[in-house]
Amino acid sequence: MTTETTSTTSTTTGIALTDVAAAKVAALLAQEGRDDLNLRVAVQPGGCSGLRYQLYFDDRNMDGDVVREFGAVKVITDKMSDPYLSGATIDFVDTIEKQGFTIDNPQAQGSCACGDSFN
């Protein structure tokens, strides 16, 4: 398992979590009442553009996982997804139009109209 510690600023390698997103993840974890969960970000086949993101809480550490720490929050990516997420930034938006996590990924060459998948 590779462990990286990064700040919440965007970098050209790895994935970044904004301060707002890190605070939201920490709040969700506190709401769950579990301190053994991490945010797992994965890229899976699917969607109309070919690939889609998955974000979920996970208590597992698999061989080859890349772990990055953002304060008290750990973000885990598997070794297959990590290259697709290099330079990506996860943010959390809360507006009248939209609420949820967003991913700004410079590796994505295109996305579908709904923004749910990328290629």
Side-chain angles (χ1 to χ4, degrees), residues 9-116:
T9 58
S10 181
T11 61
T12 56
T13 59
I15 197 166
L17 198 63
T18 66
D19 291 338
V20 173
K24 184 61 177 181
V25 170
L28 290 170
L29 287 171
Q31 186 177 342
E32 289 291 319
R34 294 185 57 186
D35 60 358
D36 63 329
L37 297 175
N38 303 305
L39 178 64
R40 182 172 289 277
V41 183
V43 174
Q44 299 290 324
C48 48
S49 290
L51 298 170
R52 82 173 350 139
Y53 301 110
Q54 288 189 330
L55 282 81
Y56 57 96
F57 292 126
D58 196 358
D59 62 355
R60 299 170 297 149
N61 284 317
M62 295 183 270
D63 190 36
D65 278 351
V66 179
V67 179
R68 295 178 177 89
E69 294 183 50
F70 301 89
V73 175
K74 289 183 181 177
V75 177
I76 298 176
T77 55
D78 61 84
K79 63 183 173 184
M80 298 299 284
S81 298
D82 199 57
Y84 291 104
L85 297 166
S86 182
T89 301
I90 299 175
D91 196 9
F92 184 80
V93 295
D94 189 3
T95 66
I96 196 164
E97 296 174 339
K98 183 178 183 180
Q99 180 183 39
F101 290 96
T102 62
I103 299 177
D104 179 21
N105 188 350
Q107 300 295 327
Q109 296 175 1
S111 65
C112 61
C114 66
D116 191 43

